[in-house]
């Protein structure tokens, strides 16, 4: 077996992706038999180009900066891989003496992790391949939640709380905030936590797990406008109608990624045209996955732990698995990590369960709030309104 380890990032960055990198690197450094701790520069393409970054010699004061650095310090990618490229990767790993590989990413990356694991197995190569979960969208199967989500949830909850305070101070329009999430509404739903601790929360929440009905939306807004003059709506970027068509035509598509049209502007425009009421759209976009100021400390620690445990498991002989989390209790919050078979994870998408969505499909339940609340970390800053 090779005496080096390789870490690969895949997919969109998060506020805590580098925390998992920190956990993996510091754990690998405890094993004297590990000669090199490599990172593939810019994802799987870096492995195929044999473009490696040596991490083993970085001083601790530099490594610790990873805990407060968003994005990916080693570079990530959305490379589309063909079957023959997995063969090439396995051959490169064996030739370079790399006996351990850690894939850190979401659904697509876990699929690549599983495929490389099986390729090495079929070729009789003693190369251990492990997965570290990462996604702000929280749509990886098996695990209770994924590193990256807690910080994105904290960001949307705090941002919507601030928008709600603004609208309450000058209640003259409908504001539609667009949240990330292609097919899973976890981030959109987390905006409900804006209402915790005396803050104002959104009036309406629309998730991709429910077909978007334009008539119901207009009716929901119209009824609210009979009671109040300032309204905040949070809507997922991935809203589709009953036929499964996006409510706004995507501006660009690739094999897996969809670059959505401006859903918030579209929904604001509907209010203006159909109800004759002032409205505007807001779209945080990448800010929701790049904010260190709103990074969840719970998320950061669990991301670090996931990296550490994946590295330790690989070095102790595990392969073809992903670190996952099991919820033990909501209050007090307790979870335990475990190793899931990569076959149970590959390309399976976890969406919001029915128990977390209200009956009308325009909000979330208390069960969701109780589940989500601990992942944000400490309480959001309290606010005051005298109006």
């Amino acid at each position: 077996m090779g005496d080096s380890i390789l870490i690969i990032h895949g997919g969109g960055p998060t506020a805590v992706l580098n925390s998992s990198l920190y956990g993996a690197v510091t754990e690998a450094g405890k094993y004297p038999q590990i000669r090199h701790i490599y990172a593939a520069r810019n994802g799987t393409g870096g492995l195929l180009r044999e473009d490696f970054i040596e991490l083993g010699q970085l001083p601790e004061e530099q490594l610790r900066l990873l805990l407060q650095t968003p994005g990916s310090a080693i570079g990530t990618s959305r490379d589309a891989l063909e079957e023959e490229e997995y063969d090439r990767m396995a051959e490169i790993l064996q030739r370079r003496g790399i006996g351990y590989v850690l894939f850190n990413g979401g659904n697509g990356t876990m699929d690549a992790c599983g495929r490389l694991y099986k390729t090495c197995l079929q070729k009789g190569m003693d190369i251990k391949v492990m997965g570290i979960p990462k996604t702000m969208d929280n749509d990886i199967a098996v695990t209770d939640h994924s590193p990256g989500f807690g910080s994105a949830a904290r960001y949307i909850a705090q941002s919507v709380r601030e928008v709600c305070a603004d609208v309450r101070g000058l209640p003259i329009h409908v504001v539609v905030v667009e949240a990330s999430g292609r097919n899973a509404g976890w981030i959109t739903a987390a905006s409900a936590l804006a209402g915790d601790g005396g803050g104002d929360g959104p009036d309406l929440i629309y998730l991709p797990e429910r077909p978007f009905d334009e008539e119901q939306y207009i009716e929901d807004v119209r009824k609210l406008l009979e009671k109040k003059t300032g309204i905040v709506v949070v809507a997922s970027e991935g809203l589709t109608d009953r036929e499964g068509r996006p409510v706004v035509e995507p501006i660009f598509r690739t094999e897996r990624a969809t670059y959505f049209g401006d859903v918030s502007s579209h929904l604001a425009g509907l209010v203006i045209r159909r109800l004759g009421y002032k409205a505007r759209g807001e779209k945080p976009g990448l800010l929701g996955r790049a904010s260190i100021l709103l990074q969840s400390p719970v998320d950061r620690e669990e991301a670090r732990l996931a990296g550490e445990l994946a590295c330790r498991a690989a070095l102790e002989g595990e392969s073809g698995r992903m670190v996952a989390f099991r919820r033990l209790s909501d209050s007090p919050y307790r979870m335990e990590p475990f190793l899931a078979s990569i076959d149970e994870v590959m390309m399976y998408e976890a969406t919001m369960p029915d128990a977390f969505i209200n009956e009308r499909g325009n909000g979330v339940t208390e069960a969701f709030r109780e589940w989500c609340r601990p992942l944000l970390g400490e309480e959001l800053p309290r606010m005051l309104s005298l109006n």
Side-chain angles (χ1 to χ4, degrees):
M1 175 182 283
D3 57 5
S4 297
I5 189 167
L6 177 68
I7 303 167
I8 303 172
H9 282 175
T14 73
V16 297
L17 177 55
N18 289 321
S19 297
S20 290
L21 179 61
Y22 175 84
V25 172
T26 53
E27 181 65 16
K30 299 174 184 177
Y31 293 78
Q33 70 268 33
I34 295 299
R35 192 159 57 95
H36 294 288
I37 304 172
Y38 291 128
R41 192 187 303 274
N42 297 323
T44 50
L47 168 52
L48 290 166
R49 294 187 301 271
E50 299 185 52
D51 186 1
F52 300 153
I53 304 168
E54 175 65 71
L55 302 176
Q57 306 305 315
L58 287 176
E60 173 63 17
E61 59 266 24
Q62 285 193 30
L63 278 177
R64 288 199 65 81
L65 293 177
L66 291 172
L67 297 171
Q68 60 191 56
T69 303
S72 169
I74 60 176
T76 181
S77 71
R78 295 191 188 276
D79 297 326
L81 298 171
E82 302 296 333
E83 201 60 45
E84 59 268 21
E85 290 173 306
Y86 290 103
D87 292 331
R88 281 181 54 207
M89 284 192 280
E91 291 163 6
I92 291 168
L93 293 170
Q94 188 172 54
R95 175 164 47 80
R96 294 292 296 264
I98 297 170
Y100 311 91
V101 183
L102 306 180
F103 277 91
N104 194 177
N107 287 308
T109 305
M110 291 306 108
D111 185 63
C113 176
R115 289 177 183 273
L116 181 61
Y117 160 69
K118 291 174 182 178
T119 299
C120 292
L121 210 59
Q122 290 164 2
K123 291 178 175 292
M125 296 177 176
D126 191 10
I127 298 173
K128 307 304 181 187
V129 184
M130 286 290 297
I132 306 170
K134 175 277 316 174
T135 173
M136 66 179 288
D137 293 335
N138 199 46
D139 58 356
I140 296 179
V142 181
T143 185
D144 174 78
H145 58 279
S146 296
F149 170 68
S151 295
R154 185 173 181 83
Y155 179 89
I156 195 70
Q158 178 63 27
S159 298
V160 169
R161 173 178 279 204
E162 291 166 359
V163 167
C164 288
D166 183 277
V167 170
R168 185 168 184 169
L170 184 63
I172 61 172
H173 47 209
V174 175
V175 176
V176 183
V177 179
E178 181 176 335
S180 300
R182 182 173 54 240
N183 300 315
W186 300 98
I187 296 174
T188 307
S191 66
L193 276 296
D196 273 7
D200 285 336
D203 298 283
L204 298 166
I205 299 173
Y206 296 99
L207 308 165
E209 285 84 357
R210 294 288 183 271
F212 181 77
D213 186 316
E214 181 178 315
E215 296 304 320
Q216 181 195 317
Y217 165 66
I218 291 299
E219 181 64 11
D220 288 345
V221 173
R222 187 190 63 77
K223 285 183 176 179
L224 282 167
L225 288 174
E226 293 175 355
K227 305 172 185 176
K228 56 194 301 189
T229 55
I231 295 170
V232 175
V233 178
V234 181
S236 166
E237 64 180 356
L239 291 182
T240 57
D241 63 19
R242 294 192 181 280
E243 284 70 49
R245 297 172 301 199
V247 297
V248 179
E249 187 64 27
I251 57 176
F252 184 69
R253 290 182 189 268
T254 63
E255 185 179 347
R256 282 197 69 243
T258 300
Y259 292 78
F260 293 97
D262 199 334
V263 170
S264 56
S265 290
H266 173 69
L267 297 191
L270 287 176
V271 171
I272 294 169
R273 291 192 301 274
R274 300 279 307 270
L275 298 176
Y277 200 85
K278 183 178 180 181
R280 61 183 295 157
E282 300 285 347
K283 187 174 182 176
L286 298 185
L287 296 174
R289 73 185 195 196
S291 174
I292 286 297
L293 287 178
L294 287 173
Q295 182 192 66
S296 161
V298 172
D299 195 26
R300 180 180 63 239
E301 173 55 23
E302 290 184 346
R304 186 205 62 76
L305 180 64
E308 174 188 304
L309 294 180
C311 180
R312 185 183 307 161
L315 289 165
E316 291 179 354
E318 293 284 358
S319 191
R321 295 178 177 274
M322 182 195 79
V323 173
F325 296 115
R326 180 182 294 115
R327 182 77 62 106
L328 300 179
S329 68
D330 294 326
S331 183
Y333 172 62
R334 291 192 304 121
M335 69 81 190
E336 65 178 9
F338 67 98
L339 299 181
S341 168
I342 200 67
D343 282 330
E344 299 177 43
V345 180
M346 295 168 65
M347 297 306 292
Y348 291 106
E349 197 168 42
T351 56
M352 289 266 293
D354 289 343
F356 284 176
I357 306 172
N358 72 3
E359 187 175 348
R360 189 166 171 81
N362 62 6
V364 300
T365 63
E366 184 56 33
F368 170 78
R369 291 183 176 88
E370 291 174 358
W371 174 87
C372 187
R373 193 170 283 125
L375 305 181
L376 273 64
E378 63 262 21
E379 290 184 4
L380 300 176
R382 296 184 67 83
M383 296 182 179
L384 174 67
S385 174
L386 302 176
N387 184 7

